[in-house]
Amino acid sequence: FFMVFGVMARAVEYNENDAVRIHHLIKVHSFARIIGKADGFDENNQKITELAAILHDIGMHNAEKKYNSTEGKYQEIEGEPLAREILKDAHVPGWIIDRVCYIVGHHHTLSAINGIDFRAVIEADTLVNILDKKITDKERIMKIRDLIFKTKKGTQLLNQMYLNDKYTG
């Protein structure tokens, strides 16, 4: 718990002048936490999931500065070293740092998903992005679900939140 809280505090501080990114990382973390807890992740997978969810977009500011772009590949390039620095500063064990950094460094590469921890982060990010990007087309949402969602809770959340007449009109 303290490890996750310390990293969350550092990530919020890093994004100090960007309320949108702070809200995004908190929402993604919350959904990732829910997915992990509901699907019965062990302590290590839960911790990795939550840390990666907090830090998944940490490279965005540097991507904007260096490449004048927030394109996924630039976020991945810039995010991994920053995530590593924040995690080291929070005294996170090296093997956890390596796994979290793999997820951060590949979170826009669906073919790189290689574990339930990574899957939960992608699903949580997608749950937030559907609303943020105002995706309301039912067919498109079902395609997203079928392509990305594999966890029981993530799928349930998507169905409950976005595949209903109140949301899709």
Side-chain angles (χ1 to χ4, degrees):
F1 169 76
F2 291 109
M3 182 190 304
V4 171
F5 178 80
V7 171
M8 175 72 81
R10 285 168 174 84
V12 168
E13 192 177 300
Y14 178 81
N15 287 292
E16 64 182 349
N17 297 318
D18 195 336
V20 171
R21 298 233 172 95
I22 292 168
H23 277 258
H24 180 77
L25 75 89
I26 289 171
K27 288 187 281 187
V28 173
H29 169 258
S30 293
F31 282 123
R33 181 173 167 77
I34 290 166
I35 291 167
K37 292 286 187 186
D39 278 26
F41 287 16
D42 66 31
E43 187 182 342
N44 290 331
N45 275 326
Q46 186 70 31
K47 206 171 280 182
I48 290 164
T49 298
E50 292 190 38
L51 292 170
I54 292 165
L55 295 172
H56 76 284
D57 279 345
I58 201 76
M60 206 177 271
H61 287 293
N62 284 353
E64 285 173 328
K65 279 182 209 150
K66 276 190 184 175
Y67 307 99
N68 202 25
S69 171
T70 58
E71 199 178 318
K73 66 179 177 184
Y74 299 128
Q75 287 181 44
E76 290 176 345
I77 291 166
E78 295 301 320
E80 198 170 333
L82 257 175
R84 190 170 296 281
E85 188 181 310
I86 289 168
L87 293 164
K88 275 185 180 170
D89 189 45
H91 307 291
V92 174
W95 66 274
I96 292 179
I97 292 174
D98 290 341
R99 180 62 182 157
V100 170
C101 287
Y102 174 81
I103 296 169
V104 171
H106 294 85
H107 78 280
H108 282 278
T109 310
L110 292 182
S111 63
I113 297 172
N114 63 355
I116 197 74
D117 47 3
F118 195 161
R119 172 75 52 197
V121 172
I122 298 302
E123 289 183 9
D125 194 25
T126 303
L127 288 170
V128 175
N129 287 335
I130 289 171
L131 185 66
D132 288 351
K133 294 177 179 175
K134 297 174 176 55
I135 300 168
T136 57
D137 178 66
K138 199 173 238 173
E139 295 296 316
R140 185 165 172 213
I141 294 168
M142 289 191 305
K143 278 185 184 146
I144 291 168
R145 179 193 61 199
D146 296 345
L147 175 69
I148 294 173
F149 286 76
K150 306 270 187 280
T151 69
K152 189 174 180 203
K153 190 60 176 182
T155 305
Q156 181 188 19
L157 287 166
L158 179 132
N159 288 336
Q160 288 173 332
M161 291 192 306
Y162 301 124
L163 291 175
N164 62 70
D165 292 336
K166 187 175 180 188
Y167 182 76
T168 55

